[in-house]
Amino acid sequence: MKNILVTGASGQLGACFKKISKNYSEFNFVFKSSSEADITNKPKLEKLFSEIKFDWVINCAAYTNVEKAESEEEKTFKINATGAKNLAEVCNENRATLVHFSTDYVFDGKAEKPYMETDKTNPINVYGASKLRGEQLIAEVLKEHFIFRTSWLYSEFEHNFYKTILRKIEENAELNITTSQTGTPTNANDLAEFVLEIISSESKDFGLYHFSNLGEATWYDFAKAILEFTGNSEDIVLNKSNSFKTIAARPEYSVLDKGKVEQQFSKQVLHWKLSLEKLIKA
């Protein structure tokens, strides 16, 4: 039986893996929160690996607060870059395969068509820069890795845009949502399911991939779809806004091209609206 370590297990993506793991009885999952397995502390990681021989590591530990990252650059890089390197080194020492997640924010948003894995990166905020550095350090240290860039993650767990809109609906609040950014909402459950399918297949097609749901949307489009699928489109006032004041710069266009992942793994990726509807009506 393969042993799979999931770091950052108390976060949104970690919670999705925990939910789906019950469908994979052939694996022994070990879920560790960031406090239980601090990826910035290499000696503690080495101790954990000395206790259990892990075949795979799924790294859900990350600093994801894009706004706070601008004023906490050192902490952000310590987790997203140095922490990623620590995991890669420990995986290399123990012959484990690492699955790591990155972001559409490694791009500057000036493209006019979906970004491919081979396109030039140029992050415009600290968060994006730290995640890009993490990618680079993993690639330098460990051959047996999968890095998945994803975008606009949401689910029924933790804090995310989807949960915020649901809360606003309960409060009967008027919504002013930006149209100034275009990307792809991605159901974190779909990403978790895809990763476990890859592990089940024992794939050795290591490398960098883009994975998000299909299609593209603005945050306004995303909010509108949530209202529609929850039956609240006539009850909640939804306004378009072309201004969204933030501390961190955001790419205006960050849709990811999924061609490589679809071809390499014969994967049929769901459109973001279909996946959203599936989650709401589950």
Side-chain angles (χ1 to χ4, degrees):
M1 181 178 282
K2 283 186 168 59
N3 292 318
I4 301 175
L5 171 64
V6 181
T7 59
S10 59
Q12 174 180 205
L13 188 53
C16 291
F17 276 107
K18 192 172 286 187
K19 182 182 87 170
I20 295 169
S21 65
K22 65 181 184 293
N23 301 325
Y24 291 84
S25 57
E26 69 270 29
F27 299 137
N28 175 44
F29 290 90
V30 177
F31 293 94
K32 295 287 185 181
S33 67
S34 293
S35 59
E36 294 169 326
D38 181 359
I39 65 172
T40 67
N41 189 325
K42 192 180 175 188
K44 283 195 174 180
L45 287 177
E46 291 171 330
K47 184 174 185 298
L48 181 59
F49 273 73
S50 71
E51 295 165 355
I52 303 174
K53 185 192 181 306
F54 293 109
D55 301 283
W56 289 77
V57 177
I58 301 172
N59 181 33
C60 299
Y63 186 110
T64 58
N65 191 319
V66 180
E67 290 292 271
K68 283 182 72 176
E70 294 299 306
S71 59
E72 295 187 347
E73 184 170 356
E74 185 177 344
K75 181 179 179 181
T76 305
F77 270 83
K78 185 178 181 183
I79 296 170
N80 292 346
T82 307
K85 182 186 180 187
N86 288 342
L87 268 179
E89 288 177 342
V90 176
C91 282
N92 196 42
E93 291 159 9
N94 291 274
R95 301 183 68 182
T97 302
L98 175 63
V99 177
H100 181 74
F101 304 99
S102 191
T103 174
D104 54 331
Y105 281 18
V106 299
F107 298 110
D108 60 18
K110 294 178 180 176
E112 295 180 350
K113 63 182 180 63
Y115 283 100
M116 299 177 70
E117 290 83 353
T118 52
D119 285 336
K120 184 182 177 183
T121 54
N122 184 32
I124 56 176
N125 57 43
V126 169
Y127 169 70
S130 70
K131 294 299 284 184
L132 178 59
R133 187 63 186 139
E135 290 181 14
Q136 294 165 340
L137 291 170
I138 289 170
E140 288 171 10
V141 170
L142 180 68
K143 179 189 174 186
E144 293 80 12
H145 72 265
F146 292 92
I147 296 173
F148 295 104
R149 289 178 183 151
T150 190
S151 66
W152 298 21
L153 281 185
Y154 72 92
S155 69
E156 67 270 44
F157 303 111
E158 298 304 310
H159 303 292
N160 56 70
F161 183 83
Y162 167 72
K163 293 282 294 290
T164 298
I165 298 300
L166 292 184
R167 189 181 73 249
K168 295 289 187 182
I169 290 171
E170 286 183 8
E171 296 168 357
N172 200 34
E174 184 172 331
L175 300 173
N176 296 294
I177 309 295
T178 183
T179 57
S180 63
Q181 297 167 45
T182 299
T184 307
T186 302
N187 188 334
N189 292 287
D190 291 354
L191 177 57
E193 187 70 61
F194 174 59
V195 167
L196 294 184
E197 286 172 4
I198 285 180
I199 294 176
S200 288
S201 73
E202 300 186 350
S203 173
K204 303 293 184 189
D205 296 310
F206 307 123
L208 173 66
Y209 295 90
H210 287 173
F211 183 94
S212 67
N213 286 120
L214 293 181
E216 57 184 61
T218 64
W219 291 107
Y220 171 87
D221 296 328
F222 190 13
K224 185 179 178 184
I226 295 170
L227 294 180
E228 288 173 355
F229 291 138
T230 56
N232 289 284
S233 55
E234 293 183 8
D235 303 317
I236 302 293
V237 177
L238 174 63
N239 302 312
K240 288 183 180 179
S241 171
N242 57 12
S243 63
F244 179 51
K245 291 182 180 178
T246 60
I247 299 167
R250 259 84 163 172
E252 289 184 9
Y253 181 89
S254 60
V255 178
L256 300 174
D257 184 292
K258 271 72 70 176
K260 183 181 177 183
V261 90
E262 289 177 313
Q263 185 175 5
Q264 191 71 50
F265 302 106
S266 301
K267 178 65 179 174
Q268 196 167 19
V269 183
L270 275 180
H271 191 278
W272 74 266
K273 276 194 172 183
L274 289 175
S275 192
L276 175 64
E277 184 177 22
K278 183 178 171 186
L279 179 64
I280 289 172
K281 305 207 168 160

